[in-house]
Amino acid sequence: MSTVRVLVGTKKGGFVLTSDGKREKWDVSGPHFAGWELYHLKGSPADPNRIYASQTSGWFGQIIQRSDDGGKTWFQPGTPPGETTGPGGAPKGESNKFVYDTSAESGTPLTTHQFYDGTQHPWEFKRVWHLEPSLNDPDTVYAGVEDAALFRSTSGGKTWEELSGLRGHGTGPNWQPGAGGMCLHTIVLDPKTAGRIFVAISAAGAFRSDDAGKTWKPINRGLKSSYIPNPEAEVGHCVHRIAQSQSRPELLYMQKHWDVMRSFDAGETWTEVSGNLPTDFGFVIDVHAHEPETIYVVPIKSDGEHYPPDGKLRVYRSKAGGNEWEELTKGLPQSNCFVNVLRDAMAVDSLDKCGVYFGTTGGQVYCSPDAGDSWAPIVRDLPAVYSVEVQTLS
């Protein structure tokens, strides 16, 4: 029987949850790196025991952690034993150095970006929001960071190099932070078109590369955002999340600051598919592993009130690629529930029936082993959940 491993990043550490294919009884390991914010943990598709983690602290900065044994033990790539911190407790190892491109050839124009008040502000590295391991090489991994940029390591996380073509494609100086900062939070590696990468940035929009990150283009046609001066601008849209159908990679879905969107052409054009949702604001969106037009969202009341409408925690599922939505409530609290579900906190496994998982800011991680028909908590009392990823192991 298959094994399922769920990787959970929280405000106060990382957790590894494991079960067999029935997904009824779970073992809980953690907290790993207790007390630290774990923005994201994700396993390598090429080597399931290789897991990367982003550990961060407002006091001590950013640390990359790696496990080669499925999360049992961890180490900092490129950091000799006993040299975990530098002066003042700051990160010391090579794996913790994310340096923006300042070369004369490609980095000179990329000195500032637009700030909240419209003035220009220097690019400043703050943290890694998302780690995306390569589909076929366990030593290659991408990092989406704040201030928004894309980095890549080909040394198992030991050293990092910016793919500066993203910031340098022409609109980078016009990017402006969203309410949560200017973060590159979504990285999607196309499983069928070699070299194709999608990213999403708050609050710049969505972008695509077709040459492994050398050059990029904005893919925001069809997005409308009433909160920016030009609602249909090329950049400036606050995209919260992009999800891709694995069997039809040209089919993309998006949860925007407001609006749920769909693209049939790899992001060239987008159409709104919010339909009968109680609110089209939210953070997460994901796709059924085997049904490309079955998608999941968690509506949140508004951008000012980050909790479910009416205090009822509901996942909404569409089996038609959007527009027509059904609420899924079995096993979920339907009164006095005021948690949020953050952008990286939903995942699906590849079993049949497809399992769906999500975590909340109240510390619950829910599992549906039947594609959303029913739900049960794996754990109830973790710190606030930042991210949820799942590995389906044979």
Side-chain angles (χ1 to χ4, degrees), residues 132-212:
E132 193 67 30
S134 163
L135 300 177
N136 49 36
D137 177 12
D139 286 331
T140 297
V141 57
Y142 298 82
V145 312
E146 178 189 358
D147 285 332
L150 182 66
F151 285 79
R152 180 175 61 200
S153 173
T154 57
S155 57
K158 180 180 177 182
T159 58
W160 298 87
E161 180 182 10
E162 186 193 0
L163 299 178
S164 58
L166 174 61
R167 289 193 303 132
H169 82 280
T171 66
N174 298 325
W175 298 353
Q176 189 169 348
M182 192 168 72
C183 54
L184 195 160
H185 52 70
T186 301
I187 305 169
V188 177
L189 305 178
D190 195 291
K192 292 188 178 180
T193 301
R196 175 167 285 179
I197 308 171
F198 302 90
V199 301
I201 297 170
S202 294
F207 301 83
R208 191 185 81 205
S209 172
D210 292 324
D211 55 9

Side-chain angles (χ1 to χ4, degrees), residues 129 179-180 185-186 202 238-242 254-257 259-260 280-286 296-307 340-346 361:
W129 280 71
H185 52 70
T186 301
S202 294
C238 192
V239 177
H240 284 180
R241 185 69 172 168
I242 293 175
M254 175 191 294
Q255 174 68 68
K256 199 163 66 68
H257 189 88
D259 305 329
V260 177
D280 57 11
F281 183 87
F283 292 96
V284 295
I285 190 166
D286 220 329
Y296 304 87
V297 297
V298 180
I300 297 300
K301 184 177 180 182
S302 72
D303 53 0
E305 299 174 274
H306 285 183
Y307 57 80
N340 195 3
V341 180
L342 300 179
R343 68 180 85 244
D344 234 342
M346 177 177 275
T361 55

Side-chain angles (χ1 to χ4, degrees), residues 221-223 260-264 269-274 323:
R221 187 179 304 165
L223 305 189
V260 177
M261 310 294 292
R262 179 181 64 202
S263 174
F264 287 115
T269 57
W270 295 90
T271 304
E272 184 181 355
V273 292
S274 305
N323 287 321

Side-chain angles (χ1 to χ4, degrees), residues 51-377:
I51 302 172
Y52 294 94
S54 170
Q55 173 188 354
T56 189
S57 162
W59 290 100
F60 300 119
Q62 173 69 44
I63 293 177
I64 293 297
Q65 297 280 359
R66 190 178 111 193
S67 175
D68 290 340
D69 55 12
K72 295 182 180 69
T73 61
W74 298 84
F75 65 98
Q76 297 177 33
T79 303
E83 295 185 9
T84 57
T85 58
K92 186 174 183 179
E94 291 181 82
S95 61
N96 307 317
K97 296 177 182 177
F98 290 83
V99 180
Y100 291 94
D101 182 5
T102 58
S103 65
E105 179 181 356
S106 56
T108 300
L110 302 175
T111 56
T112 62
H113 65 81
Q114 194 164 296
F115 204 51
Y116 293 101
D117 59 3
T119 63
Q120 289 295 301
H121 188 78
W123 294 86
E124 296 177 318
F125 173 78
K126 297 178 179 68
R127 61 184 60 85
V128 173
W129 280 71
H130 185 95
L131 291 163
E132 193 67 30
S134 163
L135 300 177
N136 49 36
D137 177 12
D139 286 331
T140 297
V141 57
Y142 298 82
V145 312
E146 178 189 358
D147 285 332
L150 182 66
F151 285 79
R152 180 175 61 200
S153 173
T154 57
S155 57
K158 180 180 177 182
T159 58
W160 298 87
E161 180 182 10
E162 186 193 0
L163 299 178
S164 58
L166 174 61
R167 289 193 303 132
H169 82 280
T171 66
N174 298 325
W175 298 353
Q176 189 169 348
M182 192 168 72
C183 54
L184 195 160
H185 52 70
T186 301
I187 305 169
V188 177
L189 305 178
D190 195 291
K192 292 188 178 180
T193 301
R196 175 167 285 179
I197 308 171
F198 302 90
V199 301
I201 297 170
S202 294
F207 301 83
R208 191 185 81 205
S209 172
D210 292 324
D211 55 9
K214 295 178 183 177
T215 61
W216 295 81
K217 62 184 290 186
I219 50 168
N220 301 302
R221 187 179 304 165
L223 305 189
K224 297 180 181 180
S225 302
S226 60
Y227 44 82
I228 59 177
N230 176 4
E232 299 181 31
E234 183 180 39
V235 298
H237 305 276
C238 192
V239 177
H240 284 180
R241 185 69 172 168
I242 293 175
Q244 180 185 51
S245 165
Q246 293 300 292
S247 59
R248 290 171 54 188
E250 73 284 354
L251 181 56
L252 301 176
Y253 300 95
M254 175 191 294
Q255 174 68 68
K256 199 163 66 68
H257 189 88
W258 293 99
D259 305 329
V260 177
M261 310 294 292
R262 179 181 64 202
S263 174
F264 287 115
D265 52 14
E268 294 289 341
T269 57
W270 295 90
T271 304
E272 184 181 355
V273 292
S274 305
N276 62 318
L277 290 171
T279 166
D280 57 11
F281 183 87
F283 292 96
V284 295
I285 190 166
D286 220 329
V287 190
H288 191 290
H290 315 298
E291 300 172 8
E293 295 192 346
T294 296
I295 55 178
Y296 304 87
V297 297
V298 180
I300 297 300
K301 184 177 180 182
S302 72
D303 53 0
E305 299 174 274
H306 285 183
Y307 57 80
D310 305 316
K312 300 178 179 179
L313 183 56
R314 292 167 287 183
V315 177
Y316 277 74
R317 177 177 63 193
S318 174
K319 294 187 176 181
N323 287 321
E324 300 174 3
W325 297 88
E326 58 178 325
E327 64 176 29
L328 309 174
T329 62
K330 186 177 180 181
L332 299 177
Q334 295 305 295
S335 63
N336 300 316
C337 184
F338 299 99
V339 299
N340 195 3
V341 180
L342 300 179
R343 68 180 85 244
D344 234 342
M346 177 177 275
V348 299
D349 67 33
S350 58
L351 296 178
D352 191 10
K353 295 184 174 180
C354 176
V356 188
Y357 308 80
F358 72 94
T360 78
T361 55
Q364 301 83 32
V365 178
Y366 290 97
C367 167
S368 172
D370 49 18
D373 291 340
S374 62
W375 300 86

